[in-house]
Amino acid sequence: MKTLSFVERYLTLWIFIAMFIGLILGKFMPSLQYLINSYSIGTTNIPIAIGLIIMMYPPLSKVNYAKMRLIFKDIKILGVSLLLNWIVGPILMFTLALLFLHNHPHYMVGVILIGLARCIAMVIVWNDLAEGNREYCAGLVAFNSMFQVFLFSIYAWIFIYWLPKVLGMNSYKVDIGISEIAKTVFIYLGIPFIAGFLTRLLLVKTKGITWYENEFCSRIGYLTLIALLFTIIVMFSLKGGVILSIPLDVIKIAIPLVIYFCIMFILGMFISKRLGADYSRSTTLAFTAAGNNFELAIAVAIATFGLNSPEAFTGVVGPLVEVPALIILVSAALKLKYLFIQKDRLPQ
C-alpha cells in the first residue's frame, strides 16, 4: 500500500477537514440533514451503515482467518481483553460520567451508554492504520460481540437503573432486547465479516495468495479511507447545527470521553507489554479496549429516550469525539512502535 503513504501521512489533517466540512454542511444546509435522515430504517441510518460497512471491508478482507484460532490459545491476552472491556471499561466510564456530568444527568446517561457498548466496528480500522495484528483484532472483536449480545441489557440495567438508584440519583429503565443488539452487531460487524471472509476464500482459491495480497488488497485499500471520510462528513453534518449552537455542552461531554480513551489505551498497551506481547498484539489490545460501539449506543439512546433527547445527542457526540481522539492515538501508537522495536533488540 505504498501508494497510500501520502494520504496516510496526513490522515489526521484529512479527518479534521472532513469534520469541518460536515459541520459547515450541517449548519448552513439543514435540508441535507433531513435528506440523510430520510434514508433510515428504524434506528439504523443507511448512509452511515453503508459507510461503516465499506470502511471495514478492506481490513477484514486482509485477515488470515485460519490464524484467528491463535487468539483463543493466548489465554493471557484474551483474559486481559475481557477484563478491560467488561469490567474496567464500564466502571471507568461510569465513574468519569459521575464525576464530570452529575449535574447533567441526561448527558451522564448518554456517556454511560457509550461506555457499555464495547468495540466491534471502527476499531478494526484504527487497528489496521496503527499496524496492529489483524487476526487478533478480528478474534477479539468477534469475541466481544458475542459478549455484547448477552451482557449489554444486563449492564444497562446495572449502570443506568440500579447503581444510580443506590447512589440516590435519577435512574432510568433501558428496555433493549437481545434481538435488537444482535441486529446491530450483524449490520455493523457481521456483514463486513462475511464479505471479507468470502472475498479472501474465493479469490485466493482462484487467483492465488500472492496476487490476492499484493494486487487485490492494495487496490481496495483506498476504500477504507474514502468511506471513513464520507462517514465522518455524514455524521458531523447530521448534528452540525446543534454542535455549533451549544459548543460548551459538547466540551462537557467530550472531557470524560477523551480521558476514558486515553486511560483505556494506556492500560491496554502497558498491561499487554508487561505480559510479553509484541507491538502488534499490544496495539490491538489497546485499541479494542479504548474503542466503543457508538452505533449501538446511539440506537439504544434513540429507541429508549427519543431522537431529539439529550441522551441521543450525547450518543452522537461520542463518535465525533472518538474519531479525532483515536486517530491521534493511532499516531501515538506508531511512535511507540519504534520504542517496542528498540527495547526488543536490547540484549536480555
Side-chain angles (χ1 to χ4, degrees):
M1 290 181 63
K2 291 181 179 179
T3 53
L4 289 179
S5 59
F6 174 77
V7 177
E8 290 178 338
R9 193 180 310 143
Y10 298 102
L11 182 58
T12 304
L13 174 63
W14 310 141
I15 285 178
F16 278 103
I17 290 174
M19 291 163 57
F20 177 76
I21 292 172
L23 288 173
I24 296 302
L25 291 174
K27 177 68 175 178
F28 297 104
M29 293 181 64
S31 59
L32 180 63
Q33 177 181 340
Y34 296 108
L35 177 64
I36 294 172
N37 278 325
S38 67
Y39 293 98
S40 297
I41 300 176
T43 55
T44 302
N45 183 275
I46 295 173
I48 291 178
I50 291 173
L52 288 169
I53 290 168
I54 295 175
M55 180 175 64
M56 291 186 291
Y57 168 68
L60 288 171
S61 296
K62 298 172 188 175
V63 171
N64 186 342
Y65 289 90
K67 293 182 179 179
M68 272 184 59
R69 64 180 183 275
L70 296 175
I71 178 62
F72 299 104
K73 292 182 178 180
D74 197 336
I75 302 300
K76 287 183 179 179
I77 295 295
L78 193 61
V80 171
S81 178
L82 290 175
L83 174 68
L84 290 175
N85 275 285
W86 295 103
I87 297 178
V88 177
I91 293 175
L92 175 61
M93 190 71 95
F94 179 86
T95 304
L96 292 171
L98 194 65
L99 286 174
F100 289 95
L101 297 169
H102 58 275
N103 291 326
H104 305 275
H106 297 289
Y107 290 160
M108 185 183 79
V109 169
V111 168
I112 293 170
L113 276 176
I114 295 172
L116 300 182
R118 308 312 303 161
C119 64
I120 65 163
M122 290 184 77
V123 66
I124 294 169
V125 177
W126 307 135
N127 179 74
D128 206 52
L129 292 172
E131 300 176 13
N133 188 302
R134 293 191 184 109
E135 288 72 35
Y136 265 73
C137 187
L140 289 176
V141 166
F143 200 65
N144 278 323
S145 69
M146 290 187 292
F147 271 77
Q148 189 157 250
V149 169
F150 295 104
L151 291 181
F152 185 87
S153 297
I154 298 171
Y155 272 51
W157 182 84
I158 292 172
F159 286 96
I160 295 176
Y161 178 75
W162 179 75
L163 197 52
K165 202 172 183 179
V166 170
L167 297 175
M169 305 177 66
N170 292 334
S171 61
Y172 303 87
K173 194 70 175 288
V174 176
D175 187 16
I176 182 75
I178 288 177
S179 61
E180 287 297 312
I181 301 170
K183 183 183 76 172
T184 303
V185 170
F186 176 76
I187 291 172
Y188 296 109
L189 180 63
I191 292 175
F193 240 118
I194 293 169
F197 175 78
L198 291 178
T199 299
R200 185 179 185 92
L201 179 68
L202 296 174
L203 290 183
V204 168
K205 193 173 288 187
T206 56
K207 291 284 191 175
I209 187 66
T210 302
W211 177 89
Y212 183 82
E213 292 185 345
N214 295 337
E215 296 291 330
F216 179 77
C217 289
S218 63
R219 290 175 187 173
I220 65 171
Y222 284 106
L223 288 175
T224 293
L225 301 180
I226 292 171
L228 173 61
L229 296 177
F230 165 79
T231 305
I232 290 169
I233 291 173
V234 172
M235 287 192 304
F236 273 74
S237 66
L238 286 174
K239 291 293 181 181
V242 179
I243 291 169
L244 293 175
S245 64
I246 48 173
L248 290 180
D249 286 42
V250 175
I251 293 173
K252 289 175 185 176
I253 296 169
I255 290 172
L257 291 177
V258 170
I259 294 173
Y260 171 86
F261 296 139
C262 292
I263 290 177
M264 293 299 289
F265 179 83
I266 292 169
L267 281 176
M269 273 287 191
F270 176 78
I271 295 174
S272 55
K273 183 59 179 173
R274 290 283 293 177
L275 291 175
D278 59 11
Y279 168 81
S280 67
R281 288 184 295 162
S282 297
T283 299
T284 297
L285 191 64
F287 278 106
T288 52
N292 292 92
N293 180 6
F294 63 81
E295 304 91 350
L296 177 59
I298 293 172
V300 172
I302 292 173
T304 304
F305 302 102
L307 179 62
N308 297 314
S309 65
E311 291 85 357
F313 172 72
T314 305
V316 173
V317 171
L320 307 187
V321 176
E322 179 174 337
V323 168
L326 290 195
I327 198 62
I328 290 172
L329 289 177
V330 167
S331 299
L334 290 172
K335 288 181 173 62
L336 286 172
K337 182 179 181 181
Y338 175 78
L339 297 177
F340 268 76
I341 294 172
Q342 289 297 102
K343 189 172 182 180
D344 289 340
R345 286 176 179 172
L346 292 174
Q348 301 298 319

